[in-house]
Amino acid sequence: MELEGKVAVVTGSAKGIGKAIAELFARQGATVAIVDRAGAEDTARALRVEGLDAQGFGIDITDMEAVYSTVDTIVREWGHIDILVNNAGIIARGSLLDLDQRQWLRVMDVNVNGNFYFCKSVIPHMMRQKSGCILNISSIAGKMGDITASPVYGTSKGAINTLTKSLARQLAEHGIRVNGIAPHAIETDMSAEWSEEKRRAVVDAIPLKRMGKAEEVAEAALFLVSERASFITGEILNINGGYLMD
Ligand SMILES: NC(=O)c1ccc[n+]([C@@H]2O[C@H](COP(=O)([O-])OP(=O)(O)OC[C@H]3O[C@@H](n4cnc5c(N)ncnc54)[C@H](O)[C@@H]3O)[C@@H](O)[C@H]2O)c1
């Protein structure tokens, strides 16, 4: 098992990509904190029923105090945090002109600020232990701009890509690696709201001619936080069936 003895915090892991990552990490021996605004403890309980080690933390990641106290609790109970996966994210639809200030601020708050709160509270612990891995779940939209989503979504993911590279540069000397994943067209609730017409157009444009699975993102996440990726930092890995090759 690749993550035996490790403690992993995965945000937005009650469902979708985050849940697949949390499950795979737990199966690889990690103790996993399932952080989500809804359903965190239900998902953790289902993992415990399988004999895996997980606990739910029902918080909204935009609540800075709640993030800090969650991280404090995890370190107090489990002693350390080795892996942080900033996965929780939301999307907005429509053009910039359709977007009001409240929606703009909410997307930036969840996709950027929540990530910042977790990094800020976890990094001191990783620096003390001189090791750690941070993995930020970005999006293809952060690399090439939004195709059909609202421009605020790609803007928030572009910020995450830059944060990933900045932290990778600044934390390398402390033994901390920071990477990202830029998925596209993964079967989750986020893509379930697409019309049939949009889904056909998206799949048509993908060289592998299908949608991706959350479990396929989880496999890449496991690789990036494992010792197998020990010389990789500042990378933002495409998982998109070949749609964007950069
Ligand atoms: N599905 C895709 O095709 C796709 C493509 C590119 C990027 N992504 C990114 O992958 C990540 C996961 O997406 P998904 O498709 O699994 O989405 P999802 O909607 O299925 O799951 C997102 C999870 O995050 C949680 N969450 C959202 N806001 C939160 C908050 N403020 N506090 C705590 N938890 C919160 C939700 O409750 C949910 O459990 C997101 O960052 C998303 O932007 C997804």
Side-chain angles (χ1 to χ4, degrees):
M1 291 203 285
E2 284 197 87
L3 303 182
E4 193 77 67
K6 304 278 186 196
V7 172
V9 176
V10 186
T11 70
S13 51
K15 62 176 183 163
I17 292 170
K19 182 179 179 188
I21 292 173
E23 280 179 357
L24 183 60
F25 285 13
R27 292 205 175 99
Q28 287 297 322
T31 299
V32 181
I34 309 278
V35 176
D36 206 297
R37 66 181 167 190
E41 186 45 29
D42 288 348
T43 299
R45 194 176 309 112
L47 292 182
R48 289 199 298 273
V49 167
E50 280 185 55
L52 303 172
D53 201 359
Q55 192 175 317
F57 295 86
I59 62 162
D60 189 310
I61 64 162
T62 64
D63 179 345
M64 189 179 75
E65 295 305 329
V67 170
Y68 288 4
S69 99
T70 298
V71 169
D72 279 353
T73 304
I74 292 168
V75 172
R76 204 171 45 248
E77 287 187 8
W78 295 336
H80 49 108
I81 294 177
D82 306 288
I83 298 163
L84 167 64
V85 182
N86 287 304
N87 164 80
I90 56 171
I91 198 162
R93 307 283 178 198
S95 74
L96 188 81
L97 299 183
D98 296 327
L99 197 70
D100 62 29
Q101 187 204 31
R102 189 187 51 79
Q103 292 167 306
W104 171 277
L105 291 176
R106 181 64 187 164
V107 172
M108 295 301 277
D109 208 13
V110 176
N111 293 5
V112 183
N113 299 354
N115 191 314
F116 161 64
Y117 303 144
F118 264 100
C119 286
K120 187 156 165 69
S121 50
V122 166
I123 285 168
H125 300 290
M126 291 182 167
M127 285 172 84
R128 252 194 307 281
Q129 69 206 27
K130 296 187 171 43
S131 68
C133 283
I134 298 174
L135 182 63
N136 295 325
I137 307 301
S138 175
S139 167
I140 193 170
K143 289 191 175 188
M144 61 185 287
D146 285 295
I147 306 156
T148 55
S150 163
V152 66
Y153 181 69
T155 302
S156 70
K157 296 299 191 178
I160 288 308
N161 290 352
T162 305
L163 179 69
T164 301
K165 292 177 193 170
S166 303
L167 291 180
R169 289 184 189 285
Q170 295 178 7
L171 298 176
E173 65 178 294
H174 300 283
I176 301 168
R177 294 187 297 107
V178 187
N179 289 296
I181 286 180
H184 171 57
I186 308 300
E187 295 277 14
T188 66
D189 283 0
M190 195 176 271
S191 51
E193 54 188 62
W194 293 352
S195 67
E196 237 347 277
E197 192 189 354
K198 175 169 177 185
R199 180 174 296 266
R200 256 198 309 276
V202 167
V203 168
D204 235 32
I206 294 175
L208 288 178
K209 297 292 177 216
R210 67 172 175 86
M211 300 277 290
K213 299 187 185 73
E215 291 72 19
E216 294 176 303
V217 181
E219 289 292 347
L222 174 61
F223 168 68
L224 284 172
V225 304
S226 75
E227 271 309 301
R228 287 179 288 149
S230 51
F231 200 47
I232 300 178
T233 197
E235 171 66 16
I236 296 161
L237 185 69
N238 291 331
I239 302 190
N240 61 32
Y243 181 64
L244 171 70
M245 302 181 189
D246 65 353

